[in-house]
Amino acid sequence: MSASLVEVEQVSKAYGGVQALSEVSLTIRAGETHALVGENGAGKSTLIKILSGAVSPDSGRVLVHGVPLAPGDVTGAEAAGIATIHQEFTAFPFLSAQDNIFVGHEPRHSGGWMLDRPRMRRETAALLERLGVDIAVDRPVGELPPSARQMVAMARAMSRQSRVLILDEPTALLSTRETSALFGVLRRLQEEGVGLLYVSHRLEEVFALADRVTVLRDGRWVDTSATKELDRDGLIRRMVGRDVNALTGSESASRMLGERVLEVRELSRTDVFQDISFSVRAGEIVGLAGLVGAGRSEIAQTIFGIDRPTSGSVTVAGKRLKPGSVREAVRSGVALVPEDRQHLGLVLPLPVGDNLVLSILRSLSVFGFRSSRRESALITRLLRDLAVRAAGARVPAHTLSGGNQQKLVLGKWLATTPRLLLLDEPTRGVDVGAKAEIYPLIRRLAAQGMATLLISSELPELLALSDRILVMRQGRLAGEVSGADASEEKVLSLALGEVPAAAVGRRQP
Amino acid sequence: MIHAFFFRYETLLGALLICLLFVARGMAPEFTTVETQSELLRHVWETALLTLPLTLILISGGIDLSIGSIMALCAVVLGMAFEAGLSPYVGALLALLTGLGAGALNGVFVAYVRVHPLIVTLATLAAYRGVAEGISLGRPISGFPPGFVLLGQGDAAGVVFAFLALAAALALARTSGGLSLYAMGYNETASRFSGIAVDRIKLLRDTLSGAAWARAAVFFVARRNTAKADIGQGIELDVIAMVVLGGTSVFGGRGGIIGTVLGILLIHETREFVGWQWSRDELNLIVLGALLILSVLAHRLFLPRGEKSRRNLILLIGEPAMTGRFLSFSIAAALALSLSGCAKTSERQQCSGCRNRHGCRVR
Amino acid sequence: MTASSRLLALLTRLARQREYGVLALLCLMVCTVTLVNPAFAAPANLRDLLVKAAPVVMVACGMTFVIVAGEIDISVGSLMGLLAAILGTLTSASHWGLPVSVGIAITLLIGLLVGLINGVLVTVGRVPSIIVTLGMLTLLQGVTEIVLAGEWIKDLPPGLRVWGVGTWLGLPIPVGAAVLVFAACFVLARETPLGRRIYAVGGNPQAARLLGLSVTRIKLFTFMLTGLLTAAATVVSVPQLSVVESGIGKGFELLVITCVVVGGTSIRGGRGSLTGSLLAALLLGTVGTVLIFLRLGEMSTYWERAIQGGFILLAVLADHAARRGGGAAPAGQES
């Protein structure tokens, strides 16, 4: 049970001048789940890339069954039995599920020139059966739901008969139910003797699944210990290097609610969401819960004018918004912090300062000409207020860490002095330390009278921040939970439309 | 900051241009005289004027392959209006309107049907010229009145270009619209999510550039005294080559007017010098093609400040600090040598315009 | 799901399968023109049509792979011009007078070589393919002028003429070559690991790299294939001409790219169909002849290019309508 499958010995890697990893070691044993945790930028992704052969280390080596792995050789790593499911969406959207599973190691006949289609079909069916999922194998993967794509990635990893499976944030796109299905598969693999390296920001999952946990901080190894001997706070302390209590801090004193800022009435978009009505008042934080794909982000984007609704209306501060016009939404004081900050929130190659003024270019300029005096005053104030750690306003935004990028997106919208803040997964992929800064900020804004609609897949976050929580299921509002009687079970049962016995039981933190 | 300057693509282009002129001076002294240069430069401004809108288009993530076709369509409209008995000036106005319309149609497809601009303008490249051929049946129309023909002989094109280039550079650097164009080019979706009216800007951009192509067509017809459906054939590739050589990315977001001006001058001087020295057009084509590929290759391999390009650069010419010194030295040397050459010729000719010329080129 | 929405989904899927749309348009056009003027359906005329479309089909097959891999090659027209000049110079008795087989072999090699250079500059040099091939387009024109030195080559040997005008088992050789090329490419695309990898690389290059696919080698292959097929197309099309001059191949690249795009291949890579490209090549190749046979007057052929451009716009509008019609949009953010 405890034979070492993979040994990582003193691996180091530097990018430019930045030491991403220094002398990190860890082992993965057969049949164990080894969790790898750490804040963003702690070096987890780099370690995974080295293990999968996508990146070659500057020093140190990786042994599989005692045999050193050729550095920077993806095919070699796969041949040695290491399969990786990367965090980025690694499927090929236009290829069928079958082709996705086998591309790169296709079964062949006729002297290696032709695909062995019958064998591909047979093996695909067998793999999917083992995973317990039913997927249309001939459809392009891009047309499948995210969870099915994740399963295709799993099937791909298993098709190599891998001895070691590396999973980088595998549940980021999955609903609770799909997560528990995935966990079932992972446990079965574990029983078959496969070693798992599991990377996740969701600590509940780490405690539910892992046997041992290794913590990285700033590219260095901090600690490896058995999950049994750890508690949540202890783990966070190791990750951050200090105490963090703001995370689930109790709700601040009840706020004064003002007039209705947002009024959504019978809003519908064909095939996406139907008949949505709710309102948000000044100083109120309304949570929006639901599974991925329930239509939450789409509602926020429709309110913001990115998409056009098929029917219904959005009224902000008494004024009905023209559908499909971002400019008018912004002018009426709506701000959207989107889910995918890398693609939607920021223009990464542009300087930090330019990103901050992008949403208020018009009001900062005089006859179309930019005023550097006004701009720099605003930029300095925002960077200070939000405590953004950046090497100045002129460095490109992509040099910032995830948490600081998120603060930048927030800052860019606070610059417009909005009345209504739509937050879509404001802490996704953000490390614990940055979360501890973002939560109080959201509360402070609400105390100053901001109306906030908070979309989040993390129930503890929703429960800690929201005054009341709207729950969506399959494009419709399934119900509302508020105040004292809000609990994870209640929200989940509304979101799933059933009592989720198994899923909830296992995922209690 | 000094370092940043030496790692700029524009610096590389400038150095190349100076080296070229220096070599040219050595091989054919009369090529670099003020008279020759100003005479040769007269022909470049018409094409150069087309590069300014295209630079803005490329920066904001678009591309336009239909430049020559829109010109042809506008020229034919002008010609047929004239043939129908209208004043050529009214014809010019109609041509301008045609350009606006053709550009707007491009813009509608790009902005509202959301088709890749390469595809849209590939389609209209064929369609507009096809319509021009169809309505004119391929005939040339000539015999414009002398007053109109004089319009095409204008020597003011250089001044107009300088003025417009300055305006465009200023607009890109100092206006909110300029930043919007860069932001769109880098990341259109994020710009949309920032409340930038991406679609409206695209439509406006393509419509106005349509008018710019139409204006070029009118001057072209006036100069040739002929309107025919084959004018401007392939001119888009010329213009794109100038802009791209100037360092503007075909993927949007990166680029600028200074680079474009240098790109124009570099292509122009190369072309004229090769023509002057060997008078063989085919050599010109080869040199230009190679120049385009090699300069962008150098740009991709050495100039961006990534780990890999640093390594490449160090492999090629040693440590960056050394390179900076080397580059500054070589530029200074080239400047000094060409100025001394100037001084020498000044014994025979006056040199006032010469210094002026260098001042303009080094920028 | 209701019956009507299921029907809508079916129609959407059909509309998204561009092959059917192009095929319908082609049938419609051929039927109309045959009704108006039965002479159109004469075997000799159809044969001419196919012979004319053959080189376009051959190069379009290669181009489909290049575009599916996420790149573009606008130098094929110039390359064809250069190869025509080389083939002519090598084989004509008044020039080098080499045996036809040697001339053809050298032509194919040079096509392959130019494809290799394009590919290396794009993959290793990381220069955008549109710039590489734009530069190559200009450069090759210059080389062609040098090769021809301003002359026209009129005395192509009969041994070479056969490749353009001869028949094999009753099939014109150019058509036979095109059928062969298409069949080989079709199998390559669907039934070989390499073909699937081309689609993978175009669909998601990042992921392909993480899976250990050699993006460099795969893209290189598509460029070399296109170079080779351009050479092959030259071999079967140039001997049909009475003279070799420097104007050969002008605008050919646009015609080929138009075919590929009308045939439903996405310019963003990852998606595309050889059948679509083939049908579109036939469609666009037929337009000119149809205009003549519709007897709209002599001058109507001037509208050929306008109609070709119109087809692209029609194709993109069909795409737009299909997207609007519902169904899952392709995944991934466009940025």
Side-chain angles (χ1 to χ4, degrees), chain B residues 267-286:
Chain B
I267 287 196
H268 164 74
E269 294 295 345
T270 313
R271 188 177 278 167
E272 294 299 343
F273 177 64
V274 172
W276 180 280
Q277 191 68 13
W278 295 282
S279 52
R280 289 181 65 178
D281 281 347
E282 60 267 29
L283 270 183
N284 236 322
L285 292 168
I286 295 176

Side-chain angles (χ1 to χ4, degrees), chain A residues 261-264 278 280 284 286 288 296-306 314 316 321 329-330 333-339 406 409-410 413-414 418-426 442 445 450-456, chain B residues 193:
Chain A
V261 174
L262 173 69
E263 176 93 54
V264 175
F278 66 92
V280 183
E284 191 181 25
V286 175
L288 194 54
R296 297 170 303 166
S297 302
E298 289 81 356
I299 288 180
Q301 292 181 8
T302 308
I303 294 173
F304 192 60
I306 297 281
V314 175
V316 173
L321 292 187
V330 173
V334 186
L336 168 68
V337 175
E339 179 181 359
Q406 189 67 356
V409 184
L410 262 167
W413 286 109
L414 293 183
R419 293 190 179 92
L420 169 67
L421 196 54
L422 310 169
L423 298 172
D424 194 352
E425 304 280 2
I442 295 174
L445 287 169
M450 179 83 74
T452 310
L453 182 68
L454 172 69
I455 299 173
S456 177
Chain B
F193 271 77

Side-chain angles (χ1 to χ4, degrees), chain A residues 15-17 398, chain B residues 7 254 299-314 320, chain C residues 126:
Chain A
Y15 287 109
H398 64 72
Chain B
F7 275 95
R254 236 180 346 206
H299 190 186
R300 302 291 287 193
L301 288 187
F302 304 127
L303 288 180
R305 264 169 282 171
E307 192 189 4
K308 208 166 189 173
S309 55
R310 275 184 89 84
R311 247 199 337 261
N312 283 336
L313 194 67
I314 289 168
Chain C
R126 298 189 302 129

Side-chain angles (χ1 to χ4, degrees), chain A residues 49-50 94 99 110 117 200 262-263 273 293 328 357 399 465:
Chain A
K49 283 188 177 143
I50 288 173
F94 306 121
D99 288 344
S110 308
R117 285 278 186 198
S200 181
L262 173 69
E263 176 93 54
F273 54 80
E328 188 171 312
V357 299
T399 57
L465 288 172

Side-chain angles (χ1 to χ4, degrees), chain A residues 66-107:
Chain A
V67 182
L69 209 62
D73 177 11
V74 178
T75 328
E78 285 207 339
I82 299 181
T84 312
I85 299 175
H86 288 279
Q87 183 181 5
E88 300 101 83
F89 179 49
T90 50
F92 303 103
F94 306 121
L95 293 186
S96 69
Q98 209 182 85
D99 288 344
N100 261 289
I101 291 173
F102 289 104
V103 72
H105 58 274
E106 306 86 348

Side-chain angles (χ1 to χ4, degrees), chain B residues 145-223:
Chain B
F148 180 70
V149 173
L150 267 179
L151 196 65
Q153 318 299 330
D155 291 322
V159 181
V160 173
F161 174 78
F163 177 73
L164 287 179
L166 211 64
L170 197 65
L172 277 177
R174 296 295 331 150
T175 68
S176 56
L179 181 56
S180 302
L181 289 181
Y182 279 111
M184 274 167 67
Y186 272 129
N187 186 337
E188 190 187 315
T189 326
S191 305
R192 222 180 272 281
F193 271 77
S194 300
I196 295 175
V198 172
D199 295 333
R200 222 177 308 165
I201 293 178
K202 280 184 183 170
L203 182 60
L204 191 69
R205 172 195 78 186
D206 289 352
T207 309
L208 291 183
S209 57
W213 317 144
R215 186 215 54 84
V218 170
F219 278 75
F220 197 95
V221 168
R223 193 164 67 245

Side-chain angles (χ1 to χ4, degrees), chain A residues 214-226:
Chain A
T214 291
V215 180
L216 295 183
R217 190 166 70 226
D218 301 328
R220 291 170 192 284
W221 175 87
V222 174
D223 178 62
T224 300
S225 39

Side-chain angles (χ1 to χ4, degrees), chain A residues 355-410:
Chain A
N355 266 295
L356 280 174
V357 299
L358 212 52
S359 50
I360 41 162
L361 275 176
R362 294 208 137 202
S363 44
L364 276 186
S365 54
V366 186
F367 300 117
F369 282 90
R370 294 164 66 188
S371 150
S372 46
R373 191 176 44 81
R374 286 198 212 176
E375 283 190 8
S376 59
L378 177 83
I379 291 165
T380 322
R381 182 169 63 77
L382 284 172
L383 290 181
R384 195 190 52 225
D385 285 0
L386 296 166
V388 176
R389 276 179 286 278
R394 300 180 67 169
V395 300
H398 64 72
T399 57
L400 271 58
S401 72
N404 281 308
Q405 283 181 7
Q406 189 67 356
K407 287 192 235 165
L408 211 56
V409 184
L410 262 167

